[in-house]
Amino acid sequence: KAYTDSGLFLRVSSGGDADITAEVVLSGLEPRTNGFLRVLNGMTLTLIPDRIAYSPTMTTTFQDQQGTVIGTVKKSEDVSLWMELFLLFGMPFVDGPNAKIESVYYDLHRATISQAYAQGMI
């Protein structure tokens, strides 16, 4: 969606013949937590907040029709998810965590496209 929304490409597809191919590798999805806060959060039935953090890293390699690498762009973002009882009352008024994470991936794609365009890769 980010590639289509950029307006830089005539057609965007997930396979087949293309002038430019972008190979995207997503890494860094291992959650980081504080073990003590996790136990405390569970023991107090989420009265004491707990934070789960991770840093998704998107590495995009651009190639031409012959398979020659034009360039590589690497972008990363920090994401934190909070668990606390009092946050329950705000849940009906916000999007779920999956929607937020998908928007982070969209933003990473947009930043990748901007950098690749600025560097003349696309």
Side-chain angles (χ1 to χ4, degrees), residues 79-90:
V79 177
S80 295
L81 302 172
W82 288 91
M83 294 187 319
E84 182 182 15
L85 179 65
F86 299 115
L87 293 176
L88 181 68
F89 301 111

Side-chain angles (χ1 to χ4, degrees), residues 8-78:
L8 296 173
F9 305 98
L10 183 63
R11 185 174 52 93
V12 176
S13 67
S14 60
D17 245 357
D19 294 335
I20 297 175
T21 305
E23 181 181 323
V24 180
V25 176
L26 188 62
S27 61
L29 301 177
E30 302 82 27
R32 297 183 313 269
T33 61
N34 183 326
F36 177 72
L37 279 180
R38 177 180 275 184
V39 170
L40 200 57
N41 178 270
M43 287 176 41
T44 61
L45 300 176
T46 69
L47 283 174
I48 306 247
D50 186 18
R51 185 181 86 133
I52 301 169
Y54 69 98
S55 299
T57 301
M58 188 175 290
T59 305
T60 307
T61 304
F62 294 96
Q63 299 175 349
D64 61 12
Q65 281 183 326
Q66 290 77 28
T68 306
V69 174
I70 300 169
T72 301
V73 177
K74 187 174 185 178
K75 293 289 181 184
S76 182
E77 186 66 45
D78 291 331

